[in-house]
Amino acid sequence: MDSLTNVVQSILNMGSSVVLPIIMFIVGIVFRVPLKKAIISGLTVGIGMIGINLVINLLTTSVGPAAQAMVERFGLNLTIIDAGWPTVAAGTWAQPIAAVMIPIILIVNLIMLAMNWTKTLNIDIWNYWHMSAAAATGYIVTNNFLFGIICGIIYTVFVQIIADKTAPKMQEYYGLEGVSLPTGSAQGYAVLAIPIGWLIDRIPGINKLDVKPETIQKRFGIFGEPMIMGIIIGVFLGLLGGYDIAGILQIGMTMGGVMFLMPRMVKILMEGLIPIQESAQKMLQSRYGDREIYLGMDAALATGSPAALSTGLLMVPITLFLAVILPGNRVLPFGDLATIPFFAALVVPSRKGNILHSVLSLTVVIALALLMATDYAPTLTTMAEGIVEFPEGAAQISNLDTGGNILNWIFLKLAQLVNSIM
């Protein structure tokens, strides 16, 4: 088991910019893409992912300090620290069940494809950790390896179904033809936010408010340009963090840069993806008629949208405010604040890019997520204890990505129920 875990960890440690081109090359060859085109496509996807990660790191290193400054400025004192998805992912991969889950997830996916139960071929192996986290939760709570595996399998089925159901609107809005987003965190927030958004759209008065990047640009001219919107949001975050003038201007320019660069990085990645997706469709149509196949990719692709980025950044101060006023919450949001644009990935298309409706929907979901993350803290603390270094002063940790994810939380409650009757 240890040797399998080490092999899996070694592959993951190479990073998406190395492994993703290899995966894309193999997928291309399977779908009969010419050798030269398969190589170029794989490398282009890898380079696009490098660009996306660079911009995400820029976002993270800017929003993180701003959030910390807000916490210190407003004297927030909560006992459970949001350690962020990297900490929980590291704790997940260190569990013996996680290495076993990777081939199981892939096999379940392939069986569902063969049986025409899904359209999504999930090639985003890094985000297999969301399914593995459900398996690890079941295992840790019940100490039953088989039950943990069952949790991971059921979670995988959920992910495939949600990816298929959300793909049409997501593709139409983002222009990501032939792609679905089987990222567990984006799906968990969408499962709650989409029906909440549907209800919000039926509230008189609010349903008439159309706040999209396009309408903002039409009404306010230059202030509706994505880079200007980013600068304005960045300045707002800097002001809340109590930055000086230089700091406010720096974070403003950084957020403007993120809004300007991200769509271009996504476009590069899509240039590599399109030939493989087209060959896959052609091959499937020759065998199965009009059957579609989606390539399952990271929700990072959605952050190329100004609406998704704007929604996520506006949710940062709202999340901190909710943490303070929400009865029963003990989680101090921090590590996953820069990840909120990912949570918005499938919500924004369901609201047709309406930033206001997306923010209102996510505000309700984040309130619920904080309570779920509070409840999940003991299990996530056990999962990561002795594996990663906890943030200073943290006796317990949780996060919004997993602890606040309704899909993972369901398996926590299921495991607790099973454990109580075993």
Side-chain angles (χ1 to χ4, degrees):
M1 183 66 70
D2 287 342
S3 59
L4 177 59
T5 301
N6 291 335
V7 169
V8 170
Q9 199 62 55
S10 297
I11 293 172
L12 294 171
N13 286 342
M14 287 192 292
S16 58
S17 61
V18 175
V19 179
L20 192 55
I22 297 172
I23 293 173
M24 295 309 302
F25 171 75
I26 294 171
V27 171
I29 294 299
V30 168
F31 288 122
R32 299 176 183 173
V33 178
L35 180 61
K36 179 181 176 181
K37 186 177 284 188
I39 293 172
I40 296 298
S41 292
L43 292 175
T44 303
V45 168
I47 290 168
M49 187 56 71
I50 289 173
I52 290 172
N53 286 333
L54 285 172
V55 180
I56 289 173
N57 288 337
L58 185 64
L59 175 66
T60 303
T61 54
S62 297
V63 173
Q68 188 171 10
M70 289 181 218
V71 168
E72 294 172 356
R73 187 182 184 198
F74 296 107
L76 306 187
N77 185 22
L78 297 162
T79 57
I80 301 170
I81 306 297
D82 166 19
W85 71 264
T87 298
V88 176
T92 297
W93 288 126
Q95 303 304 314
I97 200 169
V100 176
M101 280 308 303
I102 288 185
I104 290 175
I105 292 166
L106 184 58
I107 290 169
V108 170
N109 188 181
L110 293 175
I111 290 173
M112 292 182 72
L113 273 172
M115 300 297 292
N116 200 17
W117 294 341
T118 186
K119 298 178 181 180
T120 296
L121 174 60
N122 188 357
I123 58 176
D124 182 22
I125 63 169
W126 287 268
N127 281 308
Y128 280 18
W129 80 266
H130 289 101
M131 292 83 100
S132 297
T137 295
Y139 171 60
I140 288 171
V141 173
T142 65
N143 200 32
N144 186 311
F145 201 86
L146 177 60
F147 178 74
I149 294 292
I150 292 171
C151 288
I153 290 173
I154 297 173
Y155 194 113
T156 301
V157 173
F158 283 175
V159 162
Q160 296 296 132
I161 293 172
I162 297 169
D164 286 353
K165 295 295 185 183
T166 55
K169 283 189 177 180
M170 184 278 300
Q171 292 173 5
E172 180 183 3
Y173 183 74
Y174 295 129
L176 300 175
E177 186 178 351
V179 172
S180 67
L181 302 181
T183 306
S185 53
Q187 293 188 348
Y189 280 79
V191 162
L192 292 175
I194 289 175
I196 290 170
W198 183 87
L199 292 174
I200 288 172
D201 198 37
R202 278 147 184 80
I203 299 175
I206 293 178
N207 60 357
K208 302 296 183 184
L209 298 176
D210 186 18
V211 186
K212 300 177 183 175
E214 299 82 4
T215 55
I216 294 173
Q217 188 171 356
K218 184 177 179 180
R219 293 184 182 182
F220 299 102
I222 189 173
F223 294 101
E225 291 286 343
M227 73 172 76
I228 304 298
M229 289 172 59
I231 290 171
I232 292 171
I233 293 172
V235 167
F236 176 62
L237 294 177
L239 288 169
L240 288 177
Y243 284 17
D244 58 20
I245 293 297
I248 290 171
L249 294 176
Q250 285 172 355
I251 191 173
M253 283 301 297
T254 300
M255 292 300 101
V258 168
M259 296 283 271
F260 183 82
L261 291 171
M262 186 63 86
R264 286 154 176 78
M265 299 303 104
V266 172
K267 185 177 180 181
I268 291 171
L269 187 146
M270 288 304 297
E271 285 179 10
L273 204 59
I274 286 171
I276 296 174
Q277 197 276 329
E278 287 178 346
S279 291
Q281 289 295 129
K282 186 176 180 180
M283 180 177 170
L284 285 171
Q285 285 173 359
S286 66
R287 291 190 177 187
Y288 303 107
D290 293 331
R291 185 178 172 188
E292 287 183 292
I293 186 169
Y294 305 144
L295 296 181
M297 298 291 289
D298 195 316
L301 293 183
T303 58
S305 159
L309 271 176
S310 298
T311 298
L313 294 175
L314 289 171
M315 285 304 304
V316 171
I318 293 172
T319 301
L320 288 167
F321 177 71
L322 287 172
V324 175
I325 67 167
L326 187 66
N329 172 59
R330 294 193 294 122
V331 173
L332 175 62
F334 180 64
D336 272 339
L337 288 173
T339 312
I340 296 178
F342 291 78
F343 303 164
L346 296 173
V347 179
V348 170
S350 74
R351 298 297 91 222
K352 299 179 181 179
N354 191 320
I355 296 170
L356 176 62
H357 288 190
S358 299
V359 166
L360 291 174
S361 302
L362 279 171
T363 297
V364 177
V365 179
I366 288 288
L368 297 172
L370 287 166
L371 297 177
M372 288 187 284
T374 298
D375 187 41
Y376 219 130
T379 302
L380 293 183
T381 300
T382 299
M383 193 182 296
E385 206 161 20
I387 296 163
V388 293
E389 185 177 347
F390 285 11
E392 186 177 349
Q396 284 190 318
I397 65 164
S398 190
N399 75 335
L400 297 177
D401 185 289
T402 310
N405 184 332
I406 183 67
L407 297 181
N408 289 88
W409 186 78
I410 286 171
F411 287 98
L412 171 68
K413 305 319 288 182
L414 178 62
Q416 290 173 341
L417 176 63
V418 170
N419 190 53
S420 68
I421 61 178
M422 283 179 64

